[in-house]
Amino acid sequence: MKDGNDWKQRLGVVYSTNPDFEYSKEGDEETETLEPSRQRLVVSIDRRNRSGKQVTLVSGFIGTQEDLADLGRTLKVKCGVGGSAKDSQITIQGDFRDRVTALLKELGYNAKRGN
């Protein structure tokens, strides 16, 4: 099935009577990863919608998903807990704000502790 002919990709597009019309969707281009000293990361704690459990959120990462996943993996290993990395946020299970902030500063990131 051709990419330009996939009807699911064209949901919400208005019908065109132009016979020469070619549908093209705008691609989600990933931004280039900034160097660590130019990143402004905020380390905070979150309890909302998590059944009372605490998680440490690292937000503000600008870069590719691969680099975000690598940084998340490094932080999870150093803290010895689980978590995830998606949508420019890293989630670490538990309250590790101080440790994560120190680790990020060691790695050269401009990190500050939030709430």
Side-chain angles (χ1 to χ4, degrees):
M1 188 178 244
K2 293 187 342 186
D3 185 40
N5 206 17
D6 186 12
W7 65 272
K8 290 181 182 179
Q9 298 293 326
R10 294 182 283 141
L11 286 177
V13 175
V14 178
Y15 178 75
S16 175
T17 57
N18 183 356
D20 297 328
F21 178 76
E22 281 292 319
Y23 175 76
S24 63
K25 70 175 190 168
E26 295 178 14
D28 294 332
E29 296 180 17
E30 287 194 30
T31 58
E32 187 174 316
T33 304
L34 292 177
E35 59 191 41
S37 61
R38 295 185 61 204
Q39 299 269 2
R40 292 182 178 263
L41 302 179
V42 178
V43 181
S44 60
I45 193 163
D46 188 27
R47 294 182 189 93
R48 280 178 269 160
N49 300 328
R50 302 183 194 281
S51 302
K53 305 256 193 292
Q54 298 177 350
V55 295
T56 304
L57 289 178
V58 179
S59 57
F61 186 84
I62 300 172
T64 61
Q65 284 291 84
E66 292 84 24
D67 292 336
L68 178 69
D70 288 342
L71 180 60
R73 190 174 306 114
T74 302
L75 292 176
K76 290 187 297 186
V77 167
K78 296 278 187 180
C79 292
V81 293
S84 67
K86 59 184 172 187
D87 300 331
S88 299
Q89 275 191 342
I90 300 171
T91 305
I92 305 291
Q93 295 173 352
D95 185 3
F96 291 99
R97 288 177 289 183
D98 295 329
R99 186 183 297 179
V100 168
T101 304
L103 288 170
L104 288 171
K105 286 184 179 182
E106 280 180 21
L107 295 171
Y109 287 91
N110 184 7
K112 70 175 191 174
R113 184 176 177 207
N115 57 353

